[in-house]
């Protein structure tokens, strides 16, 4: 059985959760493999909206097991709030439907405080993080001083690690507070220890060796869907550095972030909006600062599911999309929010850049160079009709079909899914990666 990886191809917010929810009907296991509660995946089923930050988007399908892999950094408070909310709706009555890797690293109070104070200290050079402690937690992981889920379940070990790490964290927090003219937060080791022990006990029923669990399910022939968070252009290695997230968001991270071998990942579906958005700072060649940009934001409800921040909006950038196709090894492309483009006479697609007088058709690896990029546009016909009731490709206006075909031609990856609204039913799956091998 093919295993499928779903990744974002832009700067996040592409609609990955919706596509994962759709594909889960053909999967037995859904795995989240990186990021933390800086992600916000919005699902709409029969008009009811569900926003998830840590639990994989397949949780709405009864019988599907959702796994939080070792590559995720998790805030136990946020996770348990999600669990409680789902249980209240009768969606997670069986604890065995959610598996949490013992090796996932835990976000602790000092991580959030460090995140916020560091952004303040940077001033105008701030990265634009969500302030949820994601980066500092990944730093502790790489520095080999992190605290993992397995540590929450071992009281003696947990106390030793918390007291040791908090001493170092408080030293940095005091220095940062002095630099911005504020007061360092008061963090009490005993209080943190008591809270984390209690949180650990609540998480105990869900915790296990996730890598071994996935290996067993693969041996049984289960179909596994790997759900990425954020987007390719936010990858810490391949994105618009330094304005990136703190994890690898590309398809290769599905293996390292879940503990499966890379040869078991056969299909990679990239998700892209029919236009482009970005939250936070950093280069964005096709950004629009006019009425069209405001229209995209308004009609596309472009406000962050996690932070509520308005998203920057612009025309579709196929230079960036081709880059995403290359570094992810895309085998298919899902085009979302096509309906948002309705009502425009002319649409624009960025097919190249002009940088310092030279035309280029590849994404520069240097963010400062990308800041100087002027988009080269190809204009295509728009359409007036609304698309919300469309349920098959032949119901689309000809101009909309032409737009999809042109994207497919320019990116050189087949468009296998098209979405015309937020609801699960407003998605046309042209080829199923689980069935066809694309």
């Amino acid at each position: 059985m093919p295993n499928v990886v779903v990744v974002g191809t832009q700067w996040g917010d592409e609609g990955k959760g919706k596509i994962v929810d759709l594909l889960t009907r053909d999967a037995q296991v859904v795995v989240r493999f990186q990021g933390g509660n800086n992600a916000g995946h919005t699902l709409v089923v029969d008009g009811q909206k569900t926003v998830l930050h840590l639990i994989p988007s397949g949780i709405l399908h009864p019988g599907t097991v959702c796994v939080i892999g070792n590559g995720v950094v998790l805030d136990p408070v946020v996770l348990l709030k999600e669990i409680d909310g789902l249980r209240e709706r009768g969606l997670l009555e069986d604890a065995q439907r959610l598996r949490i890797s013992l090796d996932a690293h835990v976000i602790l109070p000092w991580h959030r405080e460090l995140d916020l104070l560091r952004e303040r200290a940077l001033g105008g050079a701030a990265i634009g993080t969500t302030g949820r402690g994601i980066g500092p937690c990944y730093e502790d992981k790489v520095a080999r001083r992190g605290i993992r889920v397995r540590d929450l379940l071992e009281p003696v070990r947990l106390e030793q690690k918390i007291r040791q790490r908090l001493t170092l964290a408080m030293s940095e927090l005091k220095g940062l507070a002095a630099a911005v003219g504020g007061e360092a937060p008061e963090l009490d080791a005993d209080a943190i220890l008591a809270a984390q022990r209690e949180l650990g006990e609540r998480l105990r029923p869900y915790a296990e060796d996730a890598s071994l669990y996935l290996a067993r399910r693969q041996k049984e022939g289960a179909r596994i869907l790997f759900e990425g968070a954020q987007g390719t252009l936010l990858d810490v290695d391949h994105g618009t550095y330094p304005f990136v997230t703190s994890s690898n968001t590309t398809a290769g991270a599905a293996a390292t972030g879940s503990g499966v071998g890379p040869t078991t990942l056969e299909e990679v579906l990239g998700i892209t909006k029919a236009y482009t958005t970005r939250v936070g700072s950093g280069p964005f060649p096709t950004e629009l600062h006019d009425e069209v940009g405001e229209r995209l934001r308004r009609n596309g409800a472009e406000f962050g599911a996690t932070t509520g921040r308005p998203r920057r909006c612009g025309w579709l950038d196929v230079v960036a999309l081709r880059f995403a196709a290359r570094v992810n090894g895309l085998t298919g492309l899902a085009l979302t929010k096509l309906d948002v483009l309705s009502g425009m006479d002319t649409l624009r697609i960025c097919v190249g850049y002009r940088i310092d007088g030279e035309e280029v058709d590849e994404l520069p690896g240097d963010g400062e160079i990308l800041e100087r990029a002027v988009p080269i546009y190809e204009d295509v016909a728009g359409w007036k009709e609304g698309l919300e009731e469309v349920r098959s490709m032949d119901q689309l206006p000809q101009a909309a079909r032409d737009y999809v075909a042109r994207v497919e031609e320019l990116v050189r990856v087949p468009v296998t899914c098209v979405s015309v609204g937020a609801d699960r039913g407003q998605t046309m799956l042209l080829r199923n990666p689980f069935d066809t091998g694309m």
Side-chain angles (χ1 to χ4, degrees):
M1 295 293 180
N3 295 320
V4 178
V5 183
V6 171
V7 293
T9 62
Q10 298 171 310
W11 281 286
D13 310 308
E14 301 93 348
K16 297 178 292 298
K18 173 184 173 155
I19 303 303
V20 168
D21 170 67
L22 179 72
L23 294 178
T24 300
R25 66 189 184 190
D26 295 311
Q28 287 76 52
V29 182
V30 181
V31 185
R32 176 74 187 276
F33 58 86
Q34 48 77 218
N37 58 301
N38 52 345
H41 292 178
T42 303
L43 315 176
V44 181
V45 181
D46 297 329
Q48 183 171 12
K49 183 166 76 170
T50 301
V51 179
L52 300 169
H53 301 283
L54 284 165
I55 295 177
S57 300
I59 199 66
L60 300 188
H61 291 259
T64 301
V65 176
C66 289
V67 177
I68 296 176
N70 58 276
V72 174
V73 292
L74 63 88
D75 185 324
V77 175
V78 174
L79 177 56
L80 286 164
K81 183 178 179 180
E82 282 190 30
I83 290 172
D84 290 343
L86 291 168
R87 287 176 65 88
E88 288 171 7
R89 293 170 55 188
L91 297 172
L92 190 52
E93 294 176 342
D94 181 3
Q96 294 302 306
R97 287 195 58 220
L98 177 63
R99 304 288 84 205
I100 302 170
S101 172
L102 287 163
D103 294 324
H105 281 248
V106 177
I107 296 172
L108 291 147
W110 58 80
H111 292 132
R112 292 187 292 273
E113 298 293 349
L114 283 167
D115 212 355
L116 293 168
L117 275 174
R118 285 174 180 174
E119 281 287 279
R120 285 180 60 191
L122 285 170
I127 300 296
T129 76
T130 60
R132 282 156 171 76
I134 310 298
C137 186
Y138 273 119
E139 286 177 31
D140 278 359
K141 175 180 179 176
V142 175
R144 294 163 293 183
R145 62 191 181 201
I147 293 173
R148 299 182 291 177
V149 170
R150 64 172 69 250
D151 298 319
L152 298 185
L153 310 180
E154 299 290 341
V156 175
R157 182 197 305 171
L158 181 64
E159 179 172 8
Q160 180 185 23
K161 291 197 169 194
I162 282 180
R163 293 192 186 281
Q164 184 180 58
R165 181 65 189 101
L166 182 58
T167 299
L168 293 172
M170 286 307 303
S171 176
E172 183 178 356
L173 285 168
K174 289 175 182 177
L176 286 167
V180 299
E183 293 289 330
E186 294 292 334
L187 298 177
D188 180 74
D190 290 333
I192 292 173
L193 179 59
Q196 296 304 315
R197 281 175 173 167
E198 180 180 346
L199 292 167
E201 287 306 310
R202 291 191 62 194
L203 291 176
R204 189 183 291 276
Y206 306 98
E208 74 170 274
D209 184 334
S211 173
L212 181 58
Y213 172 81
L214 292 172
R216 288 171 174 164
R217 294 306 306 270
Q218 285 181 315
K219 190 174 181 180
E220 296 168 357
R223 291 177 168 183
I224 303 177
L225 182 60
F226 295 84
E227 177 182 16
Q230 289 85 42
T232 297
L233 301 179
L234 291 175
D235 186 279
V236 70
D237 286 307
H238 304 291
T240 51
Y241 192 88
F243 300 101
V244 294
T245 194
S246 299
S247 62
N248 287 110
T249 61
T250 43
T256 55
S258 60
V260 303
T263 56
T264 65
L265 308 175
E266 294 102 327
E267 305 294 339
V268 183
L269 181 63
I271 318 301
T272 177
K273 287 176 183 170
Y275 49 99
T276 308
T277 65
R278 176 165 201 170
V279 172
S281 305
F284 183 178
T286 65
E287 183 174 10
L288 296 169
H289 301 280
D290 57 12
E291 171 53 32
V292 176
E294 288 297 324
R295 176 177 182 160
L296 291 173
R297 183 179 298 110
R298 181 176 62 250
N299 293 351
E302 296 297 352
F303 299 89
T306 299
T307 64
R309 290 183 293 181
R311 296 174 184 139
R312 302 156 63 189
C313 298
W315 295 116
L316 185 66
D317 187 339
V318 298
V319 181
L321 275 180
R322 283 196 298 265
F323 169 80
R326 172 168 61 83
V327 298
N328 287 293
L330 296 185
T331 55
L333 199 62
L335 190 67
T336 65
K337 292 199 171 184
L338 186 64
D339 55 299
V340 176
L341 298 181
S342 291
M344 299 188 191
D345 294 324
T346 302
L347 304 174
R348 312 196 85 181
I349 301 174
C350 174
V351 295
Y353 304 137
R354 186 171 289 105
I355 302 175
D356 301 333
E358 179 183 356
E359 292 189 8
V360 299
D361 60 4
E362 294 288 346
L363 188 77
D366 189 322
E368 292 186 13
I369 295 175
L370 187 61
E371 285 277 16
R372 303 198 298 273
V374 177
I376 299 172
Y377 286 117
E378 175 183 305
D379 290 349
V380 298
W383 58 90
K384 296 295 186 182
E385 301 91 331
L387 306 182
E388 291 78 6
E389 301 303 319
V390 169
R391 294 298 179 269
S392 65
M393 290 297 288
D394 58 6
Q395 293 177 350
L396 286 173
Q398 184 60 51
R401 293 201 299 272
D402 291 344
Y403 186 83
V404 174
R406 186 57 179 149
V407 171
E408 184 176 73
E409 181 181 17
L410 289 167
V411 182
R412 300 188 286 274
V413 174
V415 174
T416 60
C417 183
V418 177
S419 172
V420 293
D423 197 88
R424 180 191 286 172
Q426 294 176 296
T427 311
M428 295 167 278
L429 188 60
L430 311 181
R431 282 192 286 168
N432 189 325
F434 282 116
D435 292 342
T436 67
M438 288 202 259

